[in-house]
């Protein structure tokens, strides 16, 4: 059971926000990640019952929120308090932040936590969403450790507030970059490959589990062994790249949906997971595959068969 699907909007041909909300409800998708506090989307989501993960926006917004408590209070007023009838679960202070901008993550989270608490909304958890490469030495999974020290500060802050670490985990890119050593079936939840972690004896049948457990191993080494991980993005492209086919995308995403209810070898139990993404997005930059991560086409037809 997957917690939600990421609603990216980097396109000029998507359905209206209200149509998208209706799609989520009709498909039984109970959670949504929004990459900015889009006013039209938030209005359409009122009283929908859909649980929300809302990003603050880009690194400029992150810097603004890190700069002062009053900035964070203004942000909460405009983007949270202004919308009655929303079910906001997480606010994401930065998505895959890199370089010097990482220094803004901890102060932004602190300021947002204070702003939310001050208006009685302390139940909304504030975190940040990280790329998988914040983990070094990810093989075997038990060797996982954070590559940079700022992640230890982030982990300790989240541990103190009860918020989870949000991680974007993509076996697709790991497989694409190393198809010689990684089997396609292992990367797409198909049977046939088992990998043993000799440090702890755990057995892996999917690359996804191995990657997630490397994050857990890094959290242990950072002194936060109890910190929960939420998968804030995971998916597989269906066109325009190496191993990017509808068959592989369907195998991966259906496998993910069917798998995450059981957690990982290191951390059994439900693993809250958000699939990337709802739609193919024709204005995405970078590799051509970036335009083809959608479960659905802009005309609302499925990119391939999937059941939630």
């Amino acid at each position: 059971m997957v917690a939600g699907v990421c609603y990216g909007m980097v396109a000029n041909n998507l359905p209206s926000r209200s149509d998208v909300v209706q799609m989520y409800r009709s498909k039984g998708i109970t959670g949504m990640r929004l990459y900015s506090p889009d006013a039209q989307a938030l209005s359409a989501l009122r009283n929908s019952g859909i649980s929300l993960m809302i990003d603050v926006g880009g690194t400029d917004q992150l810097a603004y929120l890190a700069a002062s408590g009053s900035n964070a209070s203004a942000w909460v007023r405009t983007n949270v308090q202004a919308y009655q009838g929303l079910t906001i679960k997480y606010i994401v202070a930065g998505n895959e932040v890199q370089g010097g901008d990482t220094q803004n993550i901890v102060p932004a989270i602190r300021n947002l936590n204070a702003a939310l608490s001050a208006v009685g909304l302390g139940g909304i958890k504030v975190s940040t969403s990280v790329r998988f490469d914040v983990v070094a030495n990810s093989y075997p999974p038990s060797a996982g450790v954070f590559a940079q020290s700022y992640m230890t500060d982030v982990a300790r802050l989240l541990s103190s507030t009860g918020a989870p670490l949000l991680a974007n985990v993509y076996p697709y890119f790991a497989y694409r970059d190393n198809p010689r050593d990684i089997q396609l079936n292992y990367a797409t939840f198909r049977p046939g490959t088992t990998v043993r972690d000799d440090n702890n004896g755990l057995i892996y049948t999917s690359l996804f589990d191995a990657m997630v457990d490397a994050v857990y191993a890094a959290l242990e080494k950072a002194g936060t062994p109890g910190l929960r991980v939420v998968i804030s993005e995971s998916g597989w492209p269906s066109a325009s790249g190496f191993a990017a086919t509808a068959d592989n995308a369907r195998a991966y995403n259906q496998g993910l949906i069917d798998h995450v209810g059981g957690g990982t070898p290191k951390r059994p139990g439900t693993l809250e997971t958000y699939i990337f993404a709802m739609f193919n997005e024709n204005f995405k930059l970078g590799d051509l595959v970036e335009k083809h991560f959608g479960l659905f086409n802009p005309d609302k037809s499925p990119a391939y068969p999937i059941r939630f």
Side-chain angles (χ1 to χ4, degrees), residues 16-235:
S16 70
R17 314 297 202 266
S18 55
D19 279 4
V20 172
V21 170
Q22 200 50 49
M23 270 186 82
Y24 271 68
R25 297 183 70 179
S26 68
K27 306 289 181 196
I29 304 167
T30 56
M32 176 189 290
R33 180 177 181 182
L34 277 174
Y35 288 93
S36 69
D38 179 87
Q40 285 179 293
L42 293 175
S43 295
L45 283 157
R46 291 176 197 254
N47 304 312
S48 66
I50 294 171
S51 173
L52 295 175
M53 176 188 293
I54 305 176
D55 284 62
V56 300
T59 50
D60 53 337
Q61 279 296 308
L62 187 68
Y64 169 79
L65 292 165
S68 76
S70 60
N71 287 355
S73 295
W75 191 93
V76 167
R77 265 196 313 279
T78 303
N79 300 302
V80 180
Q81 289 176 278
Y83 298 93
Q84 299 300 310
L86 295 183
T87 307
I88 302 174
K89 196 169 188 182
Y90 307 115
I91 291 172
V92 187
N95 183 46
E96 301 188 345
V97 180
Q98 294 176 283
D101 292 317
T102 56
Q103 69 189 13
N104 292 323
I105 295 172
V106 165
I109 292 175
R110 285 192 196 283
N111 288 342
L112 282 167
N113 279 332
L116 289 164
S117 295
V119 293
L121 295 172
I124 298 174
K125 297 301 182 188
V126 185
S127 185
T128 193
S129 186
V130 298
R131 281 160 54 117
F132 182 71
D133 64 7
V134 299
V135 177
N137 308 335
S138 59
Y139 182 81
S142 57
V145 63
F146 287 125
Q148 292 178 277
S149 59
Y150 80 88
M151 279 302 301
T152 298
D153 299 333
V154 169
R156 289 179 178 166
L157 173 58
L158 297 177
S159 187
S160 73
T161 65
L165 177 65
L166 309 176
N168 297 342
V169 175
Y170 284 98
Y172 171 74
F173 292 112
Y175 171 70
R176 185 193 70 180
D177 294 344
N178 189 12
R180 191 173 60 87
D181 295 326
I182 298 172
Q183 298 292 315
L184 179 62
N185 60 359
Y186 185 62
T188 53
F189 294 104
R190 293 172 172 115
T193 300
T194 55
V195 175
R196 185 177 190 274
D197 187 328
D198 290 335
N199 292 336
N200 57 21
L202 292 175
I203 304 290
Y204 290 88
T205 58
S206 73
L207 180 55
F208 174 83
D209 280 354
M211 292 172 77
V212 175
D213 278 357
V215 178
Y216 281 125
L219 288 170
E220 285 180 355
K221 295 182 183 79
T224 54
L227 190 60
R228 197 163 67 90
V229 172
V230 167
I231 305 306
S232 44
E233 288 182 12
S234 191

